[in-house]
Amino acid sequence: MLDHDRIRRDTPGSSGRVFLDSAGSSLPPTVVVDTAVAHLRREAEIGGYSAAAERATELAAVKTSIGTLIGAQASSIALSDSATRAWTDFFYSVPLAPGDRILLCEAEYASNAISALHRAEVTGATVEVIASDESGQIDVRALEAMLDDRVKLISVVHAPTNGGLVNPARAIADLAHRHGALVLLDACQSIGQLRVDVEELGVDALSATGRKWLRGPRGTGFLYVRPGLASTLHPPALDLHSAQWIDAQRYRVADDATRFEFWECDVAARLALGAAVDYLLELGIDQVEQAVVERAEYLRTGLRKIPGVTVRDLGDRKSGIVSFTVDGEEPEAVRDRLGEQGVSVRVSYRSSTRLDMTDRGLDSVVRASAHYFVTFAELDTMLAALAGE
C-alpha cells in the first residue's frame, strides 16, 4: 500500500488544486526539485565541470536505476533531453532503402509520423498504417497480414496521448521478429504509470520522457536499445562522447547505447531524473500502477454519470489517461471552466494524433490524468465542478 500522507507531503504542488495533468507534465516530488537545485547551486560555487566530477558516481547510477525500472542493463540505456529526441535518434539510425516499409499505428503521435514521412521522402521507403481493431488498439491480425521482409520498422505507441488504451506490444513484437522487423516502442505515456519490462515486451527499442508519469524534470528522457543491436546502427550524429577519435582519419563508435548520447548535457536535470526514478522504485511500480488504474476507472465511472459527457477512451486494457467531451461545449471552454475552479486538465488536439481522431470525427478532447498522489476526494471535486454542482 502506498503511504499517501508521505506522498502528499512530498508533493506540495498538489495542495490547493486538483492536478489532473500528469500526462502533460507532472508535479515532481520534493526530492527531484531539491536534487536539481542543489546541483545548480554547486555549479555556481565551483563550476560545472568540478560539480559534475563530484557527482560522477550518482550520474552513472541514473542509468542503473532506469535499467532496474524497465528490466534492462545500464549499458543499453542512453540518456537524452526528451522522448522525441530519443525516439528520433533511434529511428534515424535504422538503415532504409527504396521499397522498404515503415509501419505506424493509427494512434501514432504527430512527431513520430512526421519523422517517418520525412525519412520515406528522403530514402524512398513507404509509410503504411496498421488498422485498429474494434476496441481501438492495434489489430494484430491486420498487422500479420501486412508483414513481409520489406517491413524494416514498426512504431508502436504504447499508451496514446489522447486517452485510454494500451497497445499489445508483446504480440506485435513477436510477429515483427518473424520477418526481421524492428519494433520501436513509444513509452512516453506508459513509463511511470504502468509496469514496463523490455524483456517481457520483447521490443527492440523504447523511448521515454522524464516529465510525465515519472515525475522528473522537463528536458530529460531516455532511450533503451536491445543489447547487441546498438552496434549495428548508425546514429545520425556523433561527438567525442558517442565515439572516440583514434587517429587523423579514424574514429571508433561506442559499442553500446552510449553511441546515442552527446557529451554536453544538463547534469542537474539528469541527476533529478535519477531521483525521480529512485522515488518511483521505492514506492513500487506495481503499487503505483494499481493506484493510477483505480483513479482512472473511478473518474471514467463518474464522468459517465454526468449528462452530456461522453468518455472517449478506447482499448481492452486502459491506461491512466481519461479523455472525454461535453455536449455543446468546446474542450477549451471545459478546460478553462475547470481551471477557474482549481482543476487542472489538458486539451488533446487532432493535430497530435491526426489519423485516429480524424477516423473518430474528433477535433479535440479534454484529457484528465490522475497520478497516484491525487485523492479520490479531489476526483469528486473535479466531477462536481464539471457537473456544475
Side-chain angles (χ1 to χ4, degrees), residues 39-54:
H39 189 76
L40 288 173
R41 286 176 174 160
R42 189 58 173 158
E43 286 185 344
E45 292 169 352
I46 64 173
Y49 286 7
S50 296
E54 286 182 343

Side-chain angles (χ1 to χ4, degrees), residues 56-72:
T57 299
E58 292 93 333
L59 191 59
V62 175
K63 292 185 184 181
T64 302
S65 295
I66 293 171
T68 300
L69 179 65
I70 67 171

Side-chain angles (χ1 to χ4, degrees), residues 11-62:
T11 313
S14 64
S15 299
R17 69 183 301 103
V18 182
F19 188 83
L20 302 177
D21 191 24
S22 286
S25 187
S26 192
L27 300 176
T30 302
V31 65
V32 171
V33 178
D34 290 348
T35 298
V37 171
H39 189 76
L40 288 173
R41 286 176 174 160
R42 189 58 173 158
E43 286 185 344
E45 292 169 352
I46 64 173
Y49 286 7
S50 296
E54 286 182 343
R55 303 299 299 277
T57 299
E58 292 93 333
L59 191 59
V62 175

Side-chain angles (χ1 to χ4, degrees), residues 207-225:
S207 60
T209 185
R211 77 175 191 272
K212 297 182 183 293
W213 301 90
L214 274 178
R215 303 183 64 197
R218 297 193 69 175
T220 59
F222 67 87
L223 171 69
Y224 157 81
V225 183

Side-chain angles (χ1 to χ4, degrees), residues 87-88 90-91 94 101-117 126-131 138 143 147 151-160 167-169 172-173 176 181-187 203-207 355:
W87 193 96
T88 54
F90 180 87
F91 179 76
V94 176
R101 301 168 65 202
I102 304 164
L103 304 187
L104 307 180
C105 57
E106 284 192 341
E108 199 69 54
Y109 191 61
S111 294
N112 303 351
I114 290 168
S115 293
L117 293 170
T126 61
V127 177
E128 301 168 47
V129 178
I130 311 164
I138 291 175
L143 170 62
L147 287 171
V151 177
K152 301 303 178 184
L153 184 67
I154 302 173
S155 173
V156 178
V157 177
H158 201 198
N167 272 311
I172 295 165
L182 298 175
V183 175
L184 171 54
L185 188 71
D186 180 341
V203 297
D204 300 289
L206 175 152
S207 60
L355 300 177

Side-chain angles (χ1 to χ4, degrees), residues 257-332:
T258 304
R259 65 176 51 199
F260 293 98
E261 292 182 338
F262 272 20
W263 181 80
E264 180 59 30
C265 66
D266 186 338
V267 176
R270 290 190 175 180
L271 290 170
L273 174 64
V277 175
D278 289 340
Y279 188 85
L280 175 59
L281 290 171
E282 183 182 352
L283 294 179
I285 185 59
D286 292 331
Q287 288 74 22
V288 165
E289 177 175 348
Q290 179 181 350
V292 171
V293 168
E294 288 174 350
R295 282 155 177 75
E297 284 307 308
Y298 187 89
L299 193 52
R300 290 187 188 103
T301 300
L303 288 169
R304 291 189 180 104
K305 295 177 181 178
I306 300 176
V309 173
T310 302
V311 175
R312 299 293 183 175
D313 296 336
L314 303 175
D316 290 330
R317 179 189 176 195
K318 298 291 196 298
S319 77
I321 299 175
V322 178
S323 59
F324 64 94
T325 55
V326 180
D327 291 347
E329 192 172 7
E330 292 297 322
E332 294 89 347

